[in-house]
Amino acid sequence: MTTLVKGRDDSRALPLRSYQREAVDAVRKAWDNGNNRVAMILATGGGKTVCFAHMVAEEPGRTLVLAHRKELVDQAAGKIAAIDPGILVGVEMADRKAGLECRVVVASVQTLASRRRIEKWPRDAFTQVVVDEAHHSVSRTYLGILEYFQCFQEGGTRTLGVTATLARGDKVGLGSVWQTVAYERSVLEMVADGYLVNPKGISVPIKLDLSGVDVSQGDYAAGQLGEALTEAHFETAVAQAYAAHAPGRPGLVFTPTVATAQAAAQALREAGFRAEAVWGAMDDDARDAAIKGLRNGDLDVLTNCAVLTEGTDIPRAEVAVMARPTRSSPLFVQMIGRILRPYPGKTDALVLDLVGTTSDHRLCTLLDLAAGEIPEKAEKERPEDGETLTEAVERVSKVKLGKAVDVDLFGASKAVWLTTDGGYWFAPAGKGYVALYPDEAGERWAIAQFPPGRENPRWSKAVPDLALAMALGEQQALAIDRASGQGFSGTSKSASWRSRKQPPSPAQLDLAARMHLDVPDGATKAGVADLITVRRASPRVDRHFTKLRRGR
């Protein structure tokens, strides 16, 4: 018997934001250009499900949506049915079954991987396939389903992967599955535009010894991690930190094992908080009731093991307790993303970090939201109590005065920032530049992309924070480099030719002489390259910005 999801006509409550419409249109354009396996990257809270739900409603033919957890299956089916109640939405999961009469089928990957369940469908049953949380797609289970439905054939079934991060903690490449990224919008962009709240960080360190914890698939082994946390009496620290810094604020606690989630919940209850633990293998009804309890205010805190990192929407939550050390920046971003959604009366989000200040510099910290990778020097990058993300970024800035210098804006900044002759910040971006334009008062900065061969730049929205503007500009510069095929060779500070500290080449010195550049004694190849870049960029950037100043 077919299991249908009934929707009600509340599509007005789920309209597409302007960037979401851009994302949907970009996916269609990528498909039309011959890329049948296309990725869309939207930060947690960016509305990935709403995007693909609208797209599914608008596309002709039958659509398959793949998800790996019950919550994600139910969420996707519910939103598609809500956006267009006229669409027959079926669920293929465990004892729930869908049929060919359904225009949309939302399926559990684990269920559809069964030979008996998948072979009831013709291989050409679907016009398009959507993969939710697409960073999981390199697993054999996903690949088998995608291959069955002809997603890897040239001109085959159109496929969309949606995720908050196309990176994986185990460093397994996703290029073998996804041909192109059609649209990308980061946490920083969402915070800058007001779609997410700004997280503050408070460090509440515990004495945690990770020396005996193995690393598996790019992150700490959960079982050994749980033992180390238990030995450190982490659950007491969780309760004390919450009582001291977050009383009256609903929140989530992230732990590595079921036992640690239960221990943290018990300690919170003993401290007077209404707390429950949730984990993947618990009874579905009990887990749903606990999550509902935090949503409606019956609970203060949910502790969890590997449940709330993906797909669970609890906008009321505004505190994240990090009791799960990780080396995986994608996982870290997923955890923090759970508390960034706006909610009535919510002005910011609070990260209580119990584990980011240990001696292991490879742990992820709050600044990974800006840097996008694990910092190498965590000591100076620790966020101070009460700092917002942008305040923390600005505090660790090391801006060297003068021209053609490498600016270490964040501890883990990836891009080369230079200043023009006129004093404007810019970064190389492919064969062009990304530059920052301050307003008259120096209180807002707009980001201008100067493509090669174009006189007029492309502008991004101004933001009221230099550090945030630089972070956004860096993202744009690196994305342009990636699209140009240069492999970040010009924009990245970590490019091998920079790190080797080589002397300048004869060709560089000859070009510098013809450009009448003063090359200091002991200059490196990278230093001379930056001098040349500044000389080339300055006329174009300075001339355009000067015209703006004069109001032309």
Side-chain angles (χ1 to χ4, degrees):
M1 181 176 178
T2 298
T3 304
L4 298 178
V5 177
K6 295 181 179 180
R8 55 186 196 278
D9 191 7
D10 59 357
S11 58
R12 293 182 181 179
L14 297 170
L16 284 177
R17 297 167 178 168
S18 59
Y19 71 85
Q20 292 171 331
R21 171 49 63 188
E22 292 174 3
V24 170
D25 292 344
V27 169
R28 286 202 182 95
K29 183 177 179 180
W31 278 344
D32 291 343
N33 288 338
N35 300 292
N36 63 298
R37 298 188 308 282
V38 174
M40 176 200 299
I41 305 174
L42 282 179
T44 300
K48 298 181 293 296
T49 308
V50 171
C51 277
F52 74 69
H54 274 275
M55 192 192 73
V56 164
E58 296 169 5
E59 288 294 320
R62 187 183 294 110
T63 299
L64 171 66
V65 179
L66 294 173
H68 70 291
R69 289 210 342 259
K70 173 183 178 296
E71 290 82 2
L72 295 173
V73 169
D74 290 339
Q75 176 179 278
K79 287 189 176 178
I80 294 168
I83 285 169
D84 190 342
I87 293 179
L88 281 180
V89 181
V91 173
E92 189 79 15
M93 179 173 61
D95 58 350
R96 300 159 72 182
K97 298 179 181 180
L100 288 171
E101 72 275 17
C102 298
R103 190 173 144 211
V104 177
V105 175
V106 185
S108 158
V109 171
Q110 293 84 350
T111 295
L112 204 55
S114 160
R115 182 174 179 179
R116 178 175 60 86
R117 295 294 283 266
I118 198 171
E119 288 186 351
K120 80 172 188 178
W121 298 95
R123 298 192 66 191
D124 60 355
F126 299 101
T127 307
Q128 49 265 328
V129 174
V130 177
V131 180
D132 199 3
E133 304 295 351
H135 49 283
H136 295 294
S137 59
V138 296
S139 73
R140 186 173 302 174
T141 306
Y142 280 85
L143 293 177
I145 296 172
L146 296 179
E147 287 172 356
Y148 181 86
F149 289 115
Q150 307 177 89
C151 299
F152 287 97
Q153 292 185 12
E154 185 174 352
T157 306
R158 296 181 303 182
T159 311
L160 168 65
V162 294
T163 181
T165 170
L166 208 54
R168 289 170 56 96
D170 58 9
K171 309 301 181 185
V172 173
L174 291 157
S176 59
V177 179
W178 306 106
Q179 296 167 301
T180 187
V181 176
Y183 191 85
E184 183 171 2
R185 195 171 187 86
S186 69
V187 170
L188 281 174
E189 291 170 305
M190 299 292 291
V191 170
D193 289 341
Y195 291 115
L196 299 178
V197 299
N198 204 2
K200 295 181 178 181
I202 296 179
S203 176
V204 190
I206 62 175
K207 293 182 179 179
L208 183 63
D209 182 9
L210 299 177
S211 60
V213 178
D214 293 333
V215 174
S216 175
Q217 295 184 323
D219 206 356
Y220 297 110
Q224 295 176 11
L225 196 54
E227 293 173 1
L229 285 165
T230 300
E231 290 177 4
H233 303 288
F234 87 102
E235 69 278 10
T236 301
V238 168
Q240 291 177 345
Y242 216 102
H245 302 288
R249 303 184 71 176
L252 310 171
V253 180
F254 295 93
T255 71
T257 64
V258 174
T260 52
Q262 293 172 331
Q266 180 62 31
L268 285 162
R269 287 193 292 268
E270 292 174 356
F273 295 98
R274 297 171 299 171
E276 294 290 345
V278 293
W279 59 94
M282 74 185 295
D283 177 76
D284 288 349
D285 291 339
R287 183 173 64 245
D288 292 345
I291 292 173
K292 183 179 179 180
L294 187 64
R295 284 197 182 110
N296 63 22
D298 290 339
L299 291 179
D300 302 316
V301 190
L302 275 183
T303 69
N304 84 101
C305 166
V307 170
L308 304 180
T309 54
E310 295 175 340
T312 305
D313 293 337
I314 312 177
R316 181 172 172 265
E318 56 184 87
V319 179
V321 180
M322 305 302 293
R324 198 266 186 248
T326 181
R327 295 163 56 109
S328 167
S329 56
L331 174 60
F332 184 85
V333 170
Q334 290 274 14
M335 289 189 286
I336 300 303
R338 296 299 116 197
I339 62 170
L340 300 185
R341 285 179 171 84
Y343 190 77
K346 182 175 175 180
T347 58
D348 58 32
L350 177 63
V351 179
L352 292 178
D353 188 3
L354 274 64
V355 296
T357 54
T358 67
S359 59
D360 189 338
H361 69 277
R362 292 166 299 181
L363 287 169
C364 291
T365 68
L366 186 61
L367 292 189
D368 287 317
L369 285 174
E373 63 178 18
I374 300 175
E376 291 299 323
K377 299 177 182 178
E379 181 68 31
K380 70 176 181 180
E381 295 161 6
R382 296 171 182 168
E384 294 180 349
D385 288 357
E387 282 189 322
T388 65
L389 170 61
T390 50
E391 288 169 346
V393 169
E394 191 165 16
R395 175 177 55 78
V396 300
S397 300
K398 283 191 174 180
V399 179
K400 301 174 184 177
L401 301 180
K403 302 172 186 175
V405 294
D406 206 352
V407 180
D408 189 9
L409 180 62
F410 334 104
S413 173
K414 290 166 53 175
V416 173
W417 281 97
L418 308 168
T419 53
T420 66
D421 292 336
Y424 294 106
W425 290 110
F426 79 98
K431 295 183 179 180
Y433 316 101
V434 168
L436 305 183
Y437 179 74
D439 65 9
E440 293 286 351
E443 296 176 350
R444 297 183 67 84
W445 286 263
I447 304 162
Q449 291 184 15
F450 288 86
R454 289 178 58 95
E455 180 63 27
N456 294 323
R458 301 165 184 162
W459 291 89
S460 299
K461 180 180 177 181
V463 294
D465 186 288
L466 174 58
L468 184 55
M470 279 187 152
L472 291 165
E474 176 173 321
Q475 285 186 165
Q476 292 183 16
L478 293 169
I480 292 168
D481 245 12
R482 178 178 62 196
S484 72
Q486 296 190 79
F488 309 131
S489 61
T491 302
S492 175
K493 290 193 306 184
S494 60
S496 59
W497 66 274
R498 285 185 174 276
S499 59
R500 288 195 292 262
K501 304 295 184 182
Q502 296 173 322
S505 68
Q508 276 186 309
L509 293 175
D510 179 63
L511 178 58
R514 286 188 280 113
M515 298 177 78
H516 304 289
L517 293 173
D518 182 16
V519 178
D521 293 338
T524 64
K525 183 177 182 178
V528 176
D530 290 341
L531 288 171
I532 294 171
T533 300
V534 169
R535 178 59 58 87
R536 286 174 168 168
S538 292
R540 187 177 180 197
V541 174
D542 290 346
R543 181 171 62 249
H544 193 86
F545 285 178
T546 298
K547 286 181 180 179
L548 290 179
R549 284 271 181 257
R550 293 174 179 171
R552 295 181 182 175

